[in-house]
């Protein structure tokens, strides 16, 4: 199990024990984190699972794939630390990860 911290736009912190191999999006949805819509169910085809990776974690999370980069063009208020949470796989290296949910997804 890997600990994730997902911070909703209103500041509510969700501390989640996530299964390795699952995605950050799946854990957000399962725990009813507000603001993660994930309309396409994790296929990297909607950009409504957009999150900001806390600066301390951007290296550990790594860069988006070319496909994710293209899809991020459809997200709102994209920043250098933007990622699609369905494309972040939970691994032990991400234990303690902090991501923030943007104000809106579209
Ligand atoms: Fe659709 Fe992540 S859930 S792109």
């Amino acid at each position: 199990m890997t600990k994730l911290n997902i911070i909703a736009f209103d500041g509510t912190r969700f501390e989640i024990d996530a299964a390795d191999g699952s995605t950050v999006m799946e854990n957000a949805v399962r725990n009813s984190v507000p603001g993660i819509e994930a309309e396409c169910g994790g296929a990297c085809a909607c950009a409504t699972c957009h999150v900001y990776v806390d600066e301390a974690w951007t290296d550990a999370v790594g860069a988006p794939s070319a496909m994710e980069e293209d899809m991020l063009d459809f997200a709102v208020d994209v920043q250098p630390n933007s990622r699609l949470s369905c494309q972040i796989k939970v691994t032990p290296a991400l234990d303690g990860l902090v991501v923030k949910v943007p104000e809106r997804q579209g």
Side-chain angles (χ1 to χ4, degrees):
M1 284 291 186
T2 294
K3 264 252 191 294
L4 305 181
N5 298 283
I6 305 179
I7 302 174
F9 184 71
D10 71 359
T12 308
R13 178 182 286 257
F14 292 76
E15 287 186 16
I16 297 169
D17 285 321
D20 295 321
S22 63
T23 67
V24 172
M25 177 280 277
E26 287 164 349
N27 288 282
V29 168
R30 195 172 304 133
N31 289 275
S32 303
V33 176
I36 298 292
E37 295 169 13
E39 279 166 15
C40 77
C44 197
C46 74
T48 63
C49 63
H50 175 206
V51 295
Y52 300 118
V53 175
D54 185 274
E55 255 121 64
W57 287 94
T58 48
D59 284 351
V61 170
S65 67
M67 184 170 94
E68 181 183 344
E69 192 88 70
D70 285 349
M71 195 45 58
L72 270 169
D73 288 345
F74 294 94
V76 180
D77 297 333
V78 175
Q79 311 275 339
N81 59 340
S82 288
R83 290 292 310 266
L84 296 178
S85 57
C86 70
Q87 302 301 305
I88 306 176
K89 271 241 180 336
V90 176
T91 68
L94 296 185
D95 192 37
L97 175 69
V98 180
V99 302
K100 296 194 178 108
V101 179
E103 184 173 11
R104 59 199 179 93
Q105 294 286 356

